[in-house]
Amino acid sequence: MNLAASLRIALIALRVNALRSALAMLGVVIGVASVIVLVSISEGTKQAVEEQIASFGANLLIIRPGSSMFGGRRGGAGTADPLTDGDVEALRTQIAGVAGASGEVTTSSAVVFGGANWTTRIVGMNPDYLSARGWEIDQGRSFSAAEEAAGRRYAIVGQTIISELFDGASPIGQSLRIGGQPFEVIGTVMERGDNNWGQDQDDVIFAPLNTIRQRFGAGVRVTQRDGVQTVFVDIAPGENNARVIEDIQDMLRIRRDIQPGAEDNFFVGNLAEFIRAQNETESQLGLLLAVGAGIVLLVGGIGIMNIMLVSVTERTREIGLRLAVGARRRDVRNQFLIESIVLCLIGGLAGLVVGVGGTLVYAEVGELEIAINPLIVAIAIGASALVGVFFGFYPAHRASRLDPIEALRFE
């Protein structure tokens, strides 16, 4: 018996017992589909997180006034003295490895242009802010340090503002009113889309920090004239982030007169590292889920072995007849082994269809990122074939060791 003949006999045997074969391969179908769905969702989430890191800035630090102790009682975040323009300038000029630093104050306000109005987020910033946060100018320009210091009423708008107030037309040179005060639009930023928390990043207007503090002082929640809510620091590529963070902490402790041994009343957060840590956790969860899917595949393999043992028992007289007319034992073994492999491969292909379809449906309904990795698909199909070999070998070997005379007497 050659391979083609064994394959033909295997397909005939599976077709004769179609329902039993379908039930036997169900575990393999579920296992392969589970591997594809879970790993695809995990990979998609990982890519989305990496894109989010890139949107924030790969080497971005966030510094805020933090918790502080007053008479044994801990105040919440932001209760300590605010960071100031002087802190921002010191970070920019005195810390080696810092590519840029910018203070930030935020508020929200109604914005009017012509007959259209829109309520949006207003961000007061220094010129380094856009590069530190990874924003790119689309049209026009940003403002200079001199213009920021002078409190010029300039605005740089996001794509949502362009859509809502300017009907998609270029706003460069136009004057809009923010909180009743005129601002000239000198630039626009590239579209960013929603972040991981569903916030529209393009629904924003950037303006000089001093301008926002002077004209919206009550709305920006800073207690000092030169205070800022948050400081963003961009670490230069190739620098040792841990060393830069340590230098920043040392300098701020000196500037804020924190005594040795006392707690910091500020905190420095590395957002990219936080997101990467979250990504690693999600990857580990995805691995655990894939292991669970692998267990389902193994359970399916046990079902395959059970069915093949039943098949050997049912076809004992057939096996005896083949051996009696000259079939070699390895021919019998290969025949049943091929049947087991074919059964698992058909289940694997069905699982592929179900898995890819389920992944696409899940992504559509849940509006989630997915990434179907061809390598994972190949591994899943290969694993189903290995299941066929592993769990089909014992029944095939058992069939090949039957005594022809006893097999022919079997009722």
Side-chain angles (χ1 to χ4, degrees), residues 66-76 79-80 262-265:
S67 300
S68 54
M69 297 291 289
F70 295 98
R73 184 173 58 182
R74 181 179 296 277
T79 59
E263 288 190 5
D264 293 341
N265 58 9

Side-chain angles (χ1 to χ4, degrees), residues 111-113 157 165-166 174-178 181-183 185:
V111 182
V112 178
F113 175 77
V157 301
L165 295 183
F166 300 95
Q174 300 290 342
S175 178
L176 49 76
R177 302 185 71 83
I178 302 175
Q181 304 181 56
F183 281 72
V185 179

Side-chain angles (χ1 to χ4, degrees), residues 340-364:
S340 176
I341 294 173
V342 168
L343 191 62
C344 287
L345 280 177
I346 294 174
L349 293 174
L352 170 62
V353 174
V354 173
V356 172
T359 300
L360 296 176
V361 170
Y362 186 83
E364 184 69 24

Side-chain angles (χ1 to χ4, degrees), residues 315-327 403-405 407-408:
R315 296 161 62 185
T316 298
R317 287 177 60 84
E318 175 192 331
I319 295 168
L321 181 60
R322 289 181 182 277
L323 292 171
V325 298
D403 181 83
I405 297 176
L408 286 171

Side-chain angles (χ1 to χ4, degrees), residues 184-197:
E184 179 187 351
V185 179
I186 64 169
T188 67
V189 288
M190 297 286 287
E191 184 176 0
R192 295 283 288 268
D194 293 348
N195 60 21
N196 274 1
W197 299 278

Side-chain angles (χ1 to χ4, degrees), residues 11 27 36 60 65 68 91 106 126 130 141 148 162 239 283 301 307 325 331 338 347 351 397 403:
L11 291 174
I36 293 173
L60 179 67
S68 54
L91 291 168
T106 61
N126 301 124
L130 295 180
R141 66 179 181 88
E148 187 269 324
I162 296 174
E239 293 290 338
S283 296
I307 292 300
V325 298
D331 293 329
I338 288 172
H397 178 71
D403 181 83

